[in-house]
Amino acid sequence: MDKNMFASDNYSGICPDAWQALQTANGGYSTSYGDDPWTAKACDALRDFFETDCQVFFVFNGTAANSLALASLCRSYHSIICHGTAHVETDECGAVEFFSNGTKVLLVSGEDGKIDPDEVTHTVERRSDIHYPKPKVLSITQATELGTLYSVDEMKAVGELARRHQLKLHVDGARFANALATLQVPAAQLTWKAGVDVLTFGGTKNGMPVGEAVVFFDKTLAEEFDYRCKQAGQLASKMRYLAAPWVGMLEQGALLKNAAHANKCAKLLAEKLLTVPQIRLVHPVQANAVFVQMPEALIDALHAGGWHFYTFIGSGHARFMCSWQTCEEEILRFGAELTKVAAELQMG
Ligand SMILES: *Cc1c(COP(=O)(O)O)cnc(C)c1O
């Protein structure tokens, strides 16, 4: 058994539908730099998926998708409001500030990785003078870095909050498919119908080899975005290989199926973890992540047994991730080993 499987959803491989689409796209010659039939088809498939005439770009990774999307919404003297645990703040090495030529990121807190609306209001209203970086964008993550979700109503409220303060609304959707799979609503309802201007839609963690889509619902904001991508080294010459997996996974339904599977596995994994009384859930399991508090001795014993999982993410608890590739049998075997290790430590 591979004891790396819960460390991250990007430890997973390429899912069969994405792989098949790549193989089909690999037949012969094709035009380059996005001027190919696969890219056109992927954009159309995403427009169908969101039921609107959005503008779509494909880039190599989430850091580029987020930081270029955010840079296109701001000028250098503006500010972006996000949660303190947001990937753009904690895991992108300052890419947002870099690509926006210095736009300041202002942090707010809130339960379970979700922004507290009152804090956003306070951040916008506490100053209006020329010495303060002008708030311009609200950036949220769906599903959050802590494996939680903004419900449809919460999304609507976030949209209204942004509108009230004249902020553009960006969603980091590295795990947007996981949110859709749990909430079971049309993608439109969680995005443009709720006031989202730009979504960075993750493919990699959900079974693609590489690549994220940047989806502009307000097309005026996409002006010259292609130049931004090129300058940042994010314009793939063989774009068909970034686009084809989207076609395959949207046409065959794997996009939501993979996410639903990962979410279901996370529920089962949480159940197994919680059989040890000393383990406590720290956030509700609403997507494909399980965050638990567990005794140091147990963490050390599992790590010593070769189990790989991180303890530095979010509030520093143990994080277990599931993906399209996680196997229920493997969760059961992990559960059995956990029981054994806990018993050896005289827990449970
Ligand atoms: C994984 C992830 C990304 C993308 O990260 P890259 O490593 O740059 O592809 C973005 N946002 C969140 C919330 C993520 O978990």
Side-chain angles (χ1 to χ4, degrees):
M1 178 165 41
D2 189 336
K3 293 181 172 181
N4 284 313
M5 67 186 156
F6 300 127
S8 176
D9 34 1
N10 60 26
Y11 277 39
S12 65
I14 303 172
C15 75
D17 292 284
W19 187 264
Q20 184 56 51
L22 281 171
Q23 198 156 7
T24 311
N26 199 34
Y29 298 96
S30 186
T31 19
S32 54
Y33 296 109
D35 203 16
D36 63 281
W38 285 96
T39 303
K41 229 171 147 182
C43 291
D44 282 340
L46 281 162
R47 285 190 269 267
D48 285 347
F49 188 70
F50 287 104
E51 303 172 84
T52 189
D53 184 24
C54 44
Q55 198 153 339
V56 180
F57 300 85
F58 299 98
V59 296
F60 292 106
N61 60 30
T63 299
N66 280 336
S67 54
L68 295 175
L70 286 166
S72 72
L73 305 180
C74 298
R75 292 193 175 150
S76 57
Y77 48 82
H78 287 143
S79 54
I80 297 160
I81 301 172
C82 70
H83 195 280
T85 57
H87 197 272
V88 296
E89 162 66 10
T90 63
D91 289 288
E92 299 188 357
C93 201
V96 177
E97 293 88 337
F98 178 75
F99 284 115
S100 61
N101 293 311
T103 303
K104 193 167 170 62
V105 176
L106 301 175
L107 305 180
V108 296
S109 62
E111 292 276 294
D112 293 325
K114 295 188 274 184
I115 52 143
D116 177 338
D118 292 339
E119 275 199 43
V120 173
T121 296
H122 176 69
T123 303
V124 174
E125 291 182 344
R126 74 183 159 200
R127 294 269 295 270
S128 59
D129 59 272
I130 200 162
H131 306 283
Y132 186 62
K134 191 176 189 217
K136 187 70 175 182
V137 183
L138 179 58
S139 174
I140 65 160
T141 312
Q142 171 85 307
T144 71
E145 287 77 4
L146 303 182
T148 58
L149 299 180
Y150 290 87
S151 68
V152 172
D153 284 346
E154 284 173 326
M155 245 348 273
K156 223 189 274 173
V158 167
E160 279 159 19
L161 179 73
R163 212 160 25 247
R164 189 159 69 245
H165 296 304
Q166 296 177 311
L167 300 171
K168 301 291 179 203
L169 182 55
H170 164 256
V171 173
D172 174 351
R175 300 190 181 92
F176 186 66
N178 300 88
L180 283 175
T182 295
L183 296 172
Q184 304 216 2
V185 291
Q189 215 170 321
L190 284 183
T191 54
W192 60 275
K193 284 189 180 171
V196 175
D197 295 300
V198 187
L199 168 75
T200 59
F201 194 175
T204 313
K205 286 174 178 147
N206 196 29
M208 294 185 197
V210 63
E212 323 275 296
V214 181
V215 184
F216 285 90
F217 299 106
D218 178 349
K219 289 167 70 174
T220 62
L221 298 171
E223 199 192 329
E224 298 184 348
F225 192 74
D226 45 352
Y227 286 87
R228 232 178 243 290
C229 290
K230 175 66 193 180
Q231 187 183 47
Q234 288 289 328
L235 178 66
S237 58
K238 293 189 180 179
M239 186 72 88
R240 63 176 143 154
Y241 298 106
L242 289 190
W246 286 94
V247 177
M249 285 180 64
L250 283 165
E251 278 182 354
Q252 307 301 321
L255 193 120
L256 288 177
K257 201 182 78 196
N258 285 359
H261 172 80
N263 294 357
K264 185 170 147 229
C265 285
K267 287 265 186 218
L268 179 64
L269 181 59
E271 215 177 275
K272 294 296 157 201
L273 283 161
L274 294 176
T275 57
V276 177
Q278 287 85 350
I279 296 181
R280 187 180 65 83
L281 203 59
V282 286
H283 303 294
V285 179
Q286 297 174 329
N288 62 329
V290 186
F291 281 84
V292 290
Q293 184 170 42
M294 63 163 88
E296 280 302 321
L298 189 50
I299 292 175
D300 292 345
L302 288 170
H303 281 164
W307 292 97
H308 192 174
F309 57 91
Y310 294 115
T311 54
F312 66 84
I313 292 161
S315 43
H317 293 100
R319 186 194 76 164
F320 295 82
M321 299 298 305
C322 294
S323 72
W324 69 272
Q325 204 165 24
T326 311
C327 191
E328 291 187 22
E329 265 164 46
E330 292 175 322
I331 296 174
L332 299 182
R333 267 188 274 165
F334 169 75
E337 199 163 317
L338 174 72
T339 306
K340 199 174 118 230
V341 171
E344 280 162 12
L345 292 168
Q346 294 173 342
M347 293 174 186

